[in-house]
Amino acid sequence: GVGAIIVQPLTTGLDQDTTAGYEVSIDGSAPIHVPFAGITVENIPVGTHSVTLSGLGLNCLTQQPTMTAVVAYGTYALVKHTVQCTPRVGWVQVSVTTSGTDLDADGYFVEVPNYTGANLTTNGTITLPGIREGDRTVILRGVSTNCTVTGGSTRIVTVVYGATTPLASAFSIDP
């Protein structure tokens, strides 16, 4: 006799992959595409089966990728996989070089609006964490009025998920 297995993923958290869905393998079989709403796999022999969920985004995980389903004749065994996704973030590395005389004594403040900011010395490098992937604006603030920032005090950086991205053009300041 046969029954069926209903595979039902429940995805929570930020930056969920909404484009493809997942894959499921029953008893090590070839993977089957699973839409986010779930799938019913018919004609499963009566008995105990392993159901493995895969194809998760790099920022997503499930605590129990393989679960057990007990299929009875003519019935459905429900398998719910919980998938938790975290924000797709990276780090931005900002460098400042200040030349000349009468340097800015209290340093600067570097900021990625809506994310984070930090104090930075007149000649230093800092790495800002937790910046969402994509194009982001980096602003240098607190520059003394007697100083000029070459190229202006704003830069655009493309943050890459899971990586540290240095600004392509460091802030160069001349008093």
Side-chain angles (χ1 to χ4, degrees):
V2 296
I5 296 176
I6 299 172
V7 179
Q8 192 173 61
L10 170 64
T11 306
T12 62
L14 298 173
D15 294 337
Q16 299 175 19
D17 179 5
T18 59
T19 58
Y22 305 114
E23 292 184 337
V24 68
S25 176
I26 298 173
D27 297 329
S29 66
I32 301 167
H33 176 74
V34 179
F36 291 110
I39 190 171
T40 301
V41 183
E42 305 279 350
N43 297 316
I44 302 296
V46 169
T48 302
H49 301 276
S50 66
V51 181
T52 303
L53 189 70
S54 61
L56 281 62
L58 295 175
N59 63 313
C60 300
L61 63 88
T62 180
Q63 293 296 326
Q64 194 174 0
T66 300
M67 300 179 80
T68 300
V70 179
V71 176
Y73 175 74
T75 64
Y76 297 91
L78 177 61
V79 176
K80 291 184 176 184
H81 286 276
T82 300
V83 177
Q84 175 66 43
C85 299
T86 58
R88 295 180 57 88
V89 298
W91 299 262
V92 175
Q93 186 179 58
V94 180
S95 295
V96 172
T97 56
T98 307
S99 59
T101 57
D102 194 20
L103 301 183
D104 196 326
D106 62 355
Y108 312 110
F109 186 79
V110 64
E111 173 187 14
V112 177
N114 301 316
Y115 290 98
T116 188
N119 291 318
L120 184 58
T121 61
T122 54
N123 288 292
T125 299
I126 192 166
T127 301
L128 302 173
I131 311 297
R132 278 272 180 77
E133 70 180 342
D135 290 343
R136 301 288 169 237
T137 301
V138 179
I139 303 170
L140 186 67
R141 300 188 188 282
V143 178
S144 295
T145 55
N146 68 314
C147 296
T148 303
V149 181
T150 304
S153 60
T154 301
R155 302 281 190 277
I156 302 296
V157 63
T158 301
V159 178
V160 176
Y161 170 61
T164 299
T165 306
L167 286 182
S169 174
F171 291 106
S172 180
I173 302 159
D174 298 308

